[in-house]
Amino acid sequence: MKLKNLAFLLSLLLFGCSVSQKSEPIRTGTYFDLVELLDEQIATFEVERPILTKELSVNGEPDKIIVQLDSAEQWKEELGLFYQADINKLGLETSYATEELSTGNGNRKVIDSAKTEKPTVRTIEYNYIENQLKSIRIIIRDENPVYKFEKELNLYFNAVQGKSILSSFAISGDQSMILKDELNYSLKATIGK
């Protein structure tokens, strides 16, 4: 049963996420450059070759996988949903309102919020501690008469020699479709040696 759930979750997470095989969309640079950040992290991982530990849960059934990814393409597939959440695509340059909030003690948040219900990426929140990026939280939501889904994507960073280095990420969500059981899933991944 665990293998079936694992295969289902992986196909769910990777469905349509083959970032490296699609032509690159035109990017505007209007908002925070999430793609550039991910590419920089992957370049670091290609050199350091960290271990990726993934804890999966589909409808409450857990599983754990430990892997070492061999290439940038494998990392891009692993982080595919984060790449898809890029809001710097052509046509989205006026779709989001950006606000910056001070949370005290040198901490701040920058939030890009969708102005309408049309974009599936509803919000992206960047959390900084003393100008060092600590986390990114992305909310994705879509609904039509046949299905409804909501995902929360999180990236977590550690400060290493003045740079923010990705240390873990998490994906969770709920999905419901007509004539199908509701699906709840989560993935927690830790990047380490």
Side-chain angles (χ1 to χ4, degrees), residues 22-80:
K22 293 182 181 177
S23 62
E24 292 294 321
I26 297 172
R27 303 185 66 247
T28 64
T30 305
Y31 308 103
F32 180 94
D33 199 337
L34 181 60
V35 169
E36 182 180 341
L37 174 70
L38 293 171
D39 286 346
E40 288 170 1
Q41 301 298 314
I42 288 172
T44 300
F45 298 155
E46 277 192 295
V47 173
E48 296 181 359
R49 296 184 44 88
I51 301 293
L52 182 63
T53 303
K54 300 189 288 185
E55 296 178 23
L56 310 164
S57 176
V58 178
N59 289 337
E61 291 194 31
D63 204 357
K64 185 175 182 176
I65 300 172
I66 299 173
V67 294
Q68 186 168 35
L69 304 176
D70 296 326
S71 67
E73 287 74 30
Q74 288 178 330
W75 276 105
K76 282 188 177 185
E77 285 183 11
E78 199 66 49
L79 297 169

Side-chain angles (χ1 to χ4, degrees), residues 107-118:
N107 301 339
R108 66 186 173 97
K109 291 183 181 189
V110 177
I111 303 170
D112 292 322
S113 302
K115 294 177 183 177
T116 68
E117 293 293 319
K118 187 176 179 184

